[in-house]
């Protein structure tokens, strides 16, 4: 087992090499500038690497980019092997990153909360208190109440 620092260092190297190779070395039209490498994780034994990516475009672009990455896997692994200079080059697995979908879901929930807050603000704008405006007694008021009750 390798230490976590070495795995992190290798993961960073893989991310940089794969991104650079996709930008300049792979001539597949399905890839290119609309694929972004977001993260890379390497197992503790440095045998397998998971590369997370996002694709700018619709579902068809995402599907074609996934096919392009699978076909370019050997070229990318060779580039990683040359750059890493390790005994064993990790196998690469490409996974579409769910970050954009999660961000969109959070944004939708925040918009819903903002509209709900605006409705509550509208309803409560002319509302009055059910009792006194300040239901808490102040320290000086207790003495006045006792004096009035004694008389």
């Amino acid at each position: 087992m390798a230490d976590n620092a070495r795995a992190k260092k290798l993961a960073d190297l893989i991310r940089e090499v794969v991104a650079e190779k996709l930008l300049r070395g792979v001539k597949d039209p399905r890839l290119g500038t609309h694929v972004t490498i977001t993260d890379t994780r390497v197992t503790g034994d440095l045998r397998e690497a998971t590369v997370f990516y996002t694709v700018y475009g619709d579902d068809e672009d995402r599907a074609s980019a996934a096919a392009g990455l699978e076909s370019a896997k050997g070229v990318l692994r060779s580039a990683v092997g040359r750059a890493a200079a390790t005994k064993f080059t990790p196998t690469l697995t490409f996974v579409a990153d769910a970050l954009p979908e999660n961000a969109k879901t959070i944004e939708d929930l925040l918009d819903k909360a903002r509209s709900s807050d605006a409705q509550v603000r509208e309803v409560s704008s002319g509302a009055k208190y059910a009792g006194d405006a300040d239901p808490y007694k102040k320290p000086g008021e207790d003495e006045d109440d006792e004096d009035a009750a004694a008389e």
Side-chain angles (χ1 to χ4, degrees):
M1 278 302 243
D3 60 315
N4 288 337
R6 186 170 178 200
K8 176 72 174 139
K9 191 174 180 181
L10 182 61
D12 291 342
L13 177 72
I14 291 171
R15 186 181 66 241
E16 290 173 12
V17 168
V18 169
E20 183 66 28
K21 191 71 173 173
L22 285 176
L23 187 62
R24 301 199 198 301
V26 178
K27 303 297 182 198
D28 194 338
R30 298 175 289 188
L31 301 172
T33 59
H34 62 278
V35 175
T36 304
I37 305 300
T38 56
D39 192 19
T40 307
R41 295 188 186 142
V42 177
T43 58
D45 60 357
L46 306 178
R47 295 281 182 161
E48 297 175 14
T50 305
V51 180
F52 295 92
Y53 68 94
T54 59
V55 179
Y56 182 73
D58 57 1
D59 290 336
E60 185 179 319
D61 292 336
R62 289 184 192 100
S64 67
L69 286 170
E70 281 300 315
S71 70
K73 189 183 285 190
V75 173
L76 296 172
R77 186 171 180 219
S78 297
V80 168
R82 280 190 299 274
T86 57
K87 182 188 270 188
F88 181 80
T89 303
T91 58
L92 302 178
T93 305
F94 292 96
V95 176
D97 200 351
L99 185 69
E101 290 82 18
N102 290 342
K104 183 176 180 348
T105 302
I106 291 171
E107 227 14 81
D108 292 342
L109 290 172
L110 287 173
D111 287 341
K112 187 177 178 181
R114 284 186 199 108
S115 66
S116 175
D117 288 348
Q119 289 175 351
V120 169
R121 203 174 304 115
E122 277 182 31
V123 169
S124 66
S125 64
K128 297 186 181 190
Y129 292 104
D132 294 332
D134 188 10
Y136 300 105
K137 292 186 177 185
K138 309 278 188 290
E141 292 177 357
D142 288 340
E143 297 168 3
D144 295 338
D145 291 341
E146 291 174 9
D147 291 339
E151 292 176 6

